[in-house]
Amino acid sequence: MKAYVWLMMMVWSLPCPGGSLLISEDQPPQTAPEAKIYRDRISPTWLPDESALWYRVEVAPKKEEYIRIDAATGLRSVHKDFKSMNLPGPAEIRTSTLTTSRRKGPAESEISCHLEFKNQMDEPVKLDWVKAEGESIPYAVIEPNASHTQHTFQTHQWIITRQNGEPLATIFADPATPRILIDGISGKAPRNSPSRRPRSSAQGFSPDGKWFARGSGNQVILTNGEMQDEVRISPPIPADAKIFGTASWSPNSEAFVFSSAIPVKVRQISIVETSPKDQLQPKVRQLNYAKPGDELDQPVPVLFRLENGSFKPVVLDSTLFTNQFTSSPSMNFHWSEDGREFYFDFNQRGHQCYRILAVDVKTGQVRPVVEEVSPTFVDYRNLSWRHWLPKTKELLCKSERDGWSHLWKFDVSGQKSPQQLTSGPWVVREIQRVDEASNTIWFTANGLRPEEDPYHLYLCKVSFDGTGFQQLTQGDGTHEIQFSPQSTYFVDTWSRIDHPPVVELRKSADGQLICEMERADATAYLAAGHTFPERFVATGRDEKTNIYGVIFKPTKFDPAKKYPVLENIYAGPHGAFAPKRFGAARQMQSFADLGFIVVQADGMGTNYRGKTFHDVAWKNLKDSGFPDRIRWIKAAAATRPWMDLTRVGIYGGSAGGQSAMRALLDYSDFYHVAVADCGCHDNRMDKIWWNELWMGWPVDESYAASSNAVDAHKLKGKLLLIVGELDSNVDPASTMQVVAALQKAGKSFDFQPIINANHGAAETPAGSRARKEFLIRHLKPEL
């Protein structure tokens, strides 16, 4: 009873003038269905020899073209259907290689096609069509060793199941879909396959097959390959420690390593499902949920080395890996090819020291291969990429040691100094491909061109020795890359928030343009009265660093009117969030069409602008870049008289929910209305891995200084709190504690819990409706 008594005591209200709702669920869309953008999306399919590729593209309402492009010459031919391209027949695919995932429903299509099935299983299977709303309609039963041809339409969804309903695979129809061999469940080998997987070190067997090792309590049990002559070994670990994971064997089968840790009891939180679908009475869910400051597992490697025909434990010096931050008692290990060393990662709690450590099998000595240190935080998640080069005994990885995320090469032996492969005031983002034959790395980067938006992604390459750096894509926008199967070519789709997509075919070796494949057609979209979002740049709090953001206007914009300003905020230090790709912010446009000027920008403390920009968030999540955001909005309004700064609202979810409420605590002279959804309002209440990374360890006064609950008495303005009662991401008690603090302080506010909703409750129909009604009521846009 006590677990859910708070629900019975809540009082919340969302008054509607005249007793009617401001937002109707059946309100017609603002955008006419025919006002679409065409030629903006393609999914290329390559011929096996990469001599050509083809794709289909929507060119008008219910009209598509099929395009074939010769890769060498860029010659482009247009066809009315798939068959007329005269492509070689595709290879067969197997259900064991497919997914069982469904999507909401098929896109509308009038293009007819057929699917061919061959059941290789020793049991009958069922074939169902999946309707747009998710309902399965039975169509056929395919007997063992039987074939079946099914008529369908392009993009339609089919699911293959066993007779008991267990899904085997999901098929998305396409004219190019080959014959489908039903050989087993998705992701698993065929049930009746005669072949067996060989024993592997991943299963605990030594590479030579002579030994098998497994953990049992605080002992290791070793047997020979025939699973006989069992030997128990007691390593030098505490009596209450246990062995975890699978044995990681050296390539020469002369050593293996396990993880060991003293088990730690993980904190559990209680979440109440007040209105379950299958019973009247509420249910209480218990979730494992570690929070900042909680005790963590401290796994250590336990090494065993072959000596005189038997394996003996090797004592390691743990000086370089004490007080580890990890969510698992199991560790991952990587071995050198000669079996003389193994390597593992160590992230020290507090996130100010991150190491890749090497262990000498013979001596047990531990030394750092890579060490990242920072007086603030080491963003280990963005530095975790690495590529081992066993032939040269080197390691490629990312580092921020010069203040920017760049590629480095390390000598694994430690005899040579690290070599920086890329440099400059820009950021290496994602590694796309590494080719050891040509000693080349392909990667995306942002900030390369000072005159352009620093968040735009470009494809680049560089050699293993740091020479030959080249930017391979050119258009002023953010670039999405699709390599051909053998990576000889790539398809580059680039766009901006204010520039529809352009699709190009280029050579991977040097970025040479082969041809422009498509250029989006926005004629119908613009003719319907729509405009593209506007990019805007202004200096931040230091009056020299540029802050980049976007401005959305209503479709039926009237420059003579005054519009309230609504900011979409998400200021998590793990990324940057103002949209860059065309069409990436449909929700913000929908808010604009309610009569708002909607804005979003990335202030200091967010990522991808270098360490100094990023470090503003250190122990300071309440900052949320507000000094930069406010300057940016004021600068925009200075030349846009239709932006009414006497009516400024803000909304956000999760970390954005924390920030949205913070706006009314610290900046109520500028922000007047806020909607905070599922906020991590107190960083001591939220999940450990996200909050300790930015707020540090041990938990100190900085946590309380950023707490919305602690500062609830400072609230001014109109606040709506939304939370999902089943939120498994941010403990919903975080919102409840803010409610308690506001009530204690005698503050007026609105509160909308969403029953049976998880994280992101404001995106449910009820939450979205409440948010829109609240913003309209208090900011009073002209509809």
Side-chain angles (χ1 to χ4, degrees), residues 26-93:
D26 58 0
Q27 179 179 350
Q30 299 284 340
T31 304
E34 67 274 10
K36 293 183 64 175
I37 296 174
Y38 298 98
R39 296 190 177 276
D40 60 328
R41 290 174 303 203
I42 71 165
S43 180
T45 299
W46 286 86
L47 271 60
D49 62 359
E50 293 195 345
S51 61
L53 75 157
W54 68 270
Y55 59 91
R56 64 178 183 270
V57 62
E58 190 176 15
V59 299
K62 297 184 178 180
K63 183 180 179 182
E64 295 182 326
E65 290 179 349
Y66 283 77
I67 312 296
R68 175 173 174 161
I69 295 178
D70 182 276
T73 65
L75 182 63
R76 187 175 183 273
S77 57
V78 181
H79 304 264
K80 64 179 181 179
D81 54 31
F82 174 77
K83 186 176 181 180
S84 64
M85 287 190 292
N86 294 318
L87 295 172
E92 296 174 330
I93 59 173

Side-chain angles (χ1 to χ4, degrees), residues 716-729:
K716 293 181 181 179
K718 303 296 183 180
L719 172 66
L720 168 61
L721 294 168
I722 298 176
V723 68
E725 68 167 356
L726 303 181
D727 195 333
S728 58
N729 186 318

Side-chain angles (χ1 to χ4, degrees), residues 23-252:
I23 301 297
S24 171
E25 290 302 310
D26 58 0
Q27 179 179 350
Q30 299 284 340
T31 304
E34 67 274 10
K36 293 183 64 175
I37 296 174
Y38 298 98
R39 296 190 177 276
D40 60 328
R41 290 174 303 203
I42 71 165
S43 180
T45 299
W46 286 86
L47 271 60
D49 62 359
E50 293 195 345
S51 61
L53 75 157
W54 68 270
Y55 59 91
R56 64 178 183 270
V57 62
E58 190 176 15
V59 299
K62 297 184 178 180
K63 183 180 179 182
E64 295 182 326
E65 290 179 349
Y66 283 77
I67 312 296
R68 175 173 174 161
I69 295 178
D70 182 276
T73 65
L75 182 63
R76 187 175 183 273
S77 57
V78 181
H79 304 264
K80 64 179 181 179
D81 54 31
F82 174 77
K83 186 176 181 180
S84 64
M85 287 190 292
N86 294 318
L87 295 172
E92 296 174 330
I93 59 173
R94 296 177 176 272
T95 56
S96 58
T97 66
L98 301 177
T99 178
T100 58
S101 299
R102 302 191 194 186
R103 58 191 179 199
K104 286 187 177 180
E108 292 185 6
S109 173
E110 297 180 352
I111 299 176
S112 177
C113 58
H114 290 81
L115 299 176
E116 295 184 11
F117 298 91
K118 171 69 173 179
N119 184 10
Q120 293 187 327
M121 297 182 64
D122 56 5
E123 60 181 291
V125 298
K126 297 192 299 181
L127 179 65
D128 292 358
W129 173 52
V130 183
K131 297 176 66 176
E133 58 272 19
E135 180 185 0
S136 297
I137 307 298
Y139 261 74
V141 173
I142 311 175
E143 298 295 333
N145 298 312
S147 298
H148 174 75
T149 299
Q150 179 64 56
H151 175 264
T152 184
F153 292 90
Q154 178 180 299
T155 73
H156 280 207
Q157 186 173 183
W158 295 83
I159 185 166
I160 306 169
T161 65
R162 286 198 172 102
Q163 293 288 72
N164 63 5
E166 180 186 3
L168 295 175
T170 302
I171 310 295
F172 301 102
D174 189 281
T177 302
R179 190 167 67 143
I180 300 149
L181 301 181
I182 304 171
D183 67 339
I185 191 169
S186 169
K188 295 185 179 179
R191 293 175 63 203
N192 55 355
S193 171
S195 62
R196 294 175 55 120
R197 287 183 62 191
R199 291 175 173 179
S200 69
S201 56
Q203 298 168 313
F205 287 91
S206 60
D208 61 9
K210 294 181 179 180
W211 304 96
F212 173 75
R214 63 182 177 89
S216 177
N218 63 355
Q219 292 184 319
V220 169
I221 300 176
L222 189 69
T223 58
N224 59 21
E226 285 70 38
M227 308 299 288
Q228 299 172 348
D229 303 327
E230 180 177 287
V231 175
R232 289 180 174 266
I233 309 175
S234 296
I237 59 176
D240 52 350
K242 292 185 178 181
I243 300 295
F244 291 93
T246 303
S248 176
W249 283 88
S250 64
N252 57 14

Side-chain angles (χ1 to χ4, degrees), residues 517-535:
M517 300 167 64
E518 295 294 338
R519 184 172 289 265
D521 179 4
T523 305
Y525 183 82
L526 296 173
H530 298 285
T531 58
F532 301 145
E534 180 183 355
R535 296 183 295 154

